[in-house]
Amino acid sequence: RAKVKRFVSSAFSNILLERETLIKAGICAALMILFTLLQTTIFSSLRPFGAVPDMMLSAVIAIAVSEGEKWGAVCVLISSVGTTGFSVIPLVYMLTGYISGLLSRYYLRQNAVIRLIYQLCAGFLRAAATLMMLHAHMAHFTFTEVLTGTLLPEYFSTLAVSPLVQATVWISLKAFHRTRAERTDTPSDL
């Protein structure tokens, strides 16, 4: 009888784990859609520092730090659905999500300062990708024009909006940071 009870308990815990993963994926997808909509609607008109903030970059970092490198890298698939043509930016997002998740898991733990450091470093990577794309499409520009007209405004507007994105992701995924026994109200020795 005890073996049957353990088997049933084990089977239901696997189903619960699968359900939690699906719910978490749905929440992450909804967050990415929300930030995409905010970036393309509200913040395309309201431009802090004269540029549209890259909310997707902040969201990928927030999800990677909260949930791990796999979730951060997978968010790129959600954010790049519907794009046309070739762009380096999804690769930047994937690299940022994966590295941020790995670093937060093994070296630098989750707190506001670490998230800011990840955002600062990812902003430089994003600026380099923007510079490469501008150079490929428009060969006639000076570095000073691009730096003052595009790179710095985009960098600082992304930094300004980043705390909002980080807090929204943290609050949305907070329920998944408890142990399974706490979430399901089952004893952990089953």
Side-chain angles (χ1 to χ4, degrees):
R1 187 171 197 201
K3 288 181 182 181
V4 170
K5 187 176 181 179
R6 281 190 209 133
F7 174 76
V8 170
S9 173
S10 171
F12 282 122
S13 68
N14 288 338
I15 291 171
L16 240 122
L17 185 62
E18 298 284 327
R19 189 180 85 184
E20 288 176 4
T21 303
L22 290 174
I23 291 170
K24 188 189 306 185
I27 291 171
C28 288
L31 286 170
M32 297 303 280
I33 291 169
L34 170 73
F35 293 129
T36 300
L37 289 173
L38 286 174
Q39 180 176 331
T40 57
T41 57
I42 293 173
F43 286 105
S44 65
S45 305
L46 175 82
R47 297 171 171 245
F49 297 100
V52 176
D54 189 357
M55 297 181 83
M56 302 307 296
L57 183 65
S58 299
V60 166
I61 292 170
I63 291 171
V65 170
S66 295
E67 303 305 319
E69 69 275 4
K70 293 175 187 169
W71 284 96
V74 167
C75 284
V76 176
L77 297 174
I78 298 168
S79 66
S80 62
V81 169
T83 59
T84 57
F86 177 73
S87 177
V88 181
I89 301 304
L91 297 174
V92 170
Y93 293 159
M94 185 180 71
L95 185 63
T96 299
Y98 192 74
I99 290 173
S100 298
L102 278 177
L103 289 175
S104 69
R105 176 179 291 194
Y106 295 113
Y107 301 108
L108 304 171
R109 297 292 173 202
Q110 304 177 27
N111 65 37
V113 174
I114 296 303
R115 289 173 186 253
L116 178 64
I117 291 171
Y118 293 151
Q119 189 70 46
L120 290 169
C121 295
F124 285 118
L125 185 61
R126 171 71 162 96
T130 301
L131 189 60
M132 287 186 332
M133 287 184 353
L134 285 175
H135 183 64
H137 294 292
M138 301 177 355
H140 306 293
F141 65 85
T142 65
F143 182 72
T144 308
E145 290 173 325
V146 171
L147 185 66
T148 58
T150 303
L151 299 180
L152 288 177
E154 185 179 85
Y155 184 78
F156 287 115
S157 67
T158 302
L159 280 178
V161 175
S162 175
L164 170 73
V165 174
Q166 297 283 341
T168 304
V169 169
W170 182 77
I171 289 169
S172 300
L173 297 173
K174 184 179 178 184
F176 297 102
H177 298 169
R178 298 178 294 162
T179 65
R180 183 171 34 172
E182 291 171 340
R183 287 191 305 264
T184 59
D185 294 328
T186 58
S188 59
D189 60 347
L190 286 179

